[in-house]
Amino acid sequence: MATLLYRLGRFAYDRRWLVLSAWIVVLLAVGGSALAFHGALSNTFQIPGTETQRMLDKLKTDLPSSAGGSASIVFESPDAAFTPAQKQGISNALTQIKGLGGVQNATDPFATQTQLDNAATQVASGQKQLAASEAQLAAGQQQLDASAQQLAASKAQLDAGQAQLDAQKQALAAQGMSPAAVAQATASAQDKLDAGRAQLASGQAQYDAAKKKADDGAAQLTQAKADLALGQRQAQASQGLRFVSTDGKAAIATIQFTKSTDALPADLRQKVQDLAGQVPGVQSHASKELTQDISQLFGTSEATGVIIAAIVLLLMLGTFVAAGLPLLMALVGVAVGVGGTFALTGLIQMSSTTPMLGLMLGLAVGIDYSLFIVNRHRTQLLHGMHPRESVALSIGTSGNAVLFAGLTVIIALAALVVPGLPFLAVMGIAAAATVAVSVLVAITLLPALLGFAGKRLISKRRWKKAEAQNARFAGHAEERDEAEAREDLVKAERGWGAWVTRHPWIALVASVLVLGALALPAAQLRLALPDGGSEPVESSAYQAYDATGKYFGQGMTGPIVVVGELPSGLDATAAKTKEYDVADQLRSVQGVTAAVPVALSDDRRTAVFQVIPTDGPASASTVQVVNDLRAKGAQIQSATGVTIGLTGQTAANVDVSSKLADALPPYLAIVVGLSLVLLLLVFRSLLVPLLATGGFLLSLGAAFGAVVAVYQWGWLGQVFEVSHPGAVLSFLPILLIGILFGLAMDYQVFITAGIREAYAHGQEAHVAVKTGFRHAARVVTAAAIIMVSVFAGFIFSHVTMIRPLGFALALGVLLDAFLVRMTLVPAVMRLLGKGAWWLPRWLGRILPDLDIEGARLERTTAEPTPRVPEPAGR
């Protein structure tokens, strides 16, 4: 590989215009693709196959109106209660918002609160009306019963009279009277009986009409009772739910959109906020879903980190040309890598963290990798090597180390596909691709630009000093090597490396104690996705979150959506009854403030409930509520026949955090195993890989502990703008493991390779630790400071989700570079002596010799290469 890279470096130097042109074409193609094909980024994290996703898919099919995104706006009048004019102004603003394209509904908090407030009065009034109707119906029933008795008596009397008359008619006929005479004799009595029957029929008709009216009244009364019972249950379900604060100083409105909030165009977001903010004397606070701007990647804080990196480069390399090249290479790598990521957002759903992670890593490793090569090239030029040969040899040696270092980061990031979480896999692959581009830029574009830069990489003063040194030893290479070796030994007795090797036990114990103490809080690590409380205090999102919790309870900041599947064949009343039966069951779960039915599909098969927990969405109690609601599902199905499932952002966040926590141990095992194998191949030693991996675990634990202390407990919260301490970003641990592993192995290679090289050249083991450390310390220190500066720039990023990751990476690299690789590792290697390089013979025969430093290349190049004070990549 070293020989291949040597040839690649020479080709890039010789064909510098071709290489430069090719990269310009790539930049233009990627930039054009990003502009033409980019889509919307997302801050919604979903896992296919989970209950949350299944319920959301069901809503999209059965109740599309409930599947769109929603946001809230809190209206506040902090000094006094809303005036009638202000209430009307808010209502008018919401009406205008409702009329915007893309907005499905905007609830009026005052109308809704009036309905809730009037619910108890309406129930009481309905109960009085029912009582009066029941009394009236009872009195009417008594009258009907009396009329029925009178009708029965009259009928009996008429029947008796008719029987008596018929007997008289028979008696007259028996006396020999003719039928006509009999009819004439009984005509008057018969007429009276017929008149009585007619009167009885009229009375019966009146009775039947009155009875029908009474039956209809009874049916209406039964329906009224059922409606009143539903009204009572609705009022009970809504207890604890408010849309206007009790003091009248705040109101909360919910805006329902036709699409997810991540897909909302920026102009719609702004129009909603502008309309909400037009009411005089009223402050409006839009929630995070409306205000989050994930279209901009680079902000002021990120630029600050790059500026610090530029200063470090200038101090180390001495000229603007030399300092500018690593920065330029990093920017090219980021432009291609992150630009390519953006071009794919139209095809693949990505979180806002995906390009931010690529930007963060691309800047950090892009600067570092180019620095190693530029530093090697400068050193060789100062020793009199021809620029063409120096560029080729730098790529073959330092470029070889850079390639291996990049591969470790790429493999660690690509391994993020192992947990099986799609959004995490996309994040890892995109970041790995950006790192790969940075490596490719360093070994192709950088040698071409070094050809253009020529000797301008070195200041005139430094050139004069180097020329004098070269003239002194002209034609005496061996004498020069011996002089430099003696100088190395003298310098190795000074500085940090010398102190560590003189006091290895103190360095070892102190390092372990510091890292162990920092790692202690990690035992309390709790994972969740961020809510509005993690936003900056001055932001609208935080103010909305704070006002919602202050006036309406923390649970209103993250309601839980429950989807119920009702039995078939229910009428409207039965379906409503089922809804409230389920709501009662949901409300019985500890930690639930309210459970309200909010939607029912046309076929009355799918119902949606909004459950308001006591605390915010990222709190431990809300996580427990989500688990308890799911556990309650079997009981609800048994009692009501309704099958429930949870969805919505709060439940989805709990699912994502749980899945990530489960994926953490196997991923850590993969990374640790990978580190052991890679380092075994690189250093051909058993103890060095174990030492490197143990150091990685220590720095990882310390970084976890510091994140918990700052972002979960709130220590130094004012310094890091942590206004609302809470659970740690759920995918931070797994990302930190992968990224920190790759970077830690980079520094392990750069430090330990120098020690191994010195030992292989015949130095005593303890001397090799000092001299090898000295060769690598300066460039590793600069590289670590640069990387920490870049990562630290993201601690105050405008994308708050990335802030704890920037903090964890900055601190992790700082601790790993200075406490582990530059303190713990040399101390332990000093104590181990020759044992550090022990390897069983049978294993040595099996393992390939990777020659990461390109030592064989140095011995076989056409031009002799002087011994370099700071070997490749160190």
Side-chain angles (χ1 to χ4, degrees), residues 505-517:
W505 281 110
I506 296 176
L508 171 61
V509 173
S511 300
V512 172
L513 286 178
V514 170
L515 293 170

Side-chain angles (χ1 to χ4, degrees), residues 44-62:
T44 301
F45 302 95
Q46 300 172 351
I47 304 177
T50 60
E51 176 188 283
T52 304
Q53 189 60 42
R54 291 197 305 272
M55 291 300 102
L56 182 60
D57 294 340
K58 181 177 178 61
L59 282 183
K60 289 179 180 178
T61 302
D62 298 348

Side-chain angles (χ1 to χ4, degrees), residues 159-175:
D159 290 342
Q162 185 65 53
Q164 186 178 2
L165 183 59
D166 290 343
Q168 184 181 357
K169 286 180 179 181
Q170 291 176 357
L172 291 175
Q175 294 175 2

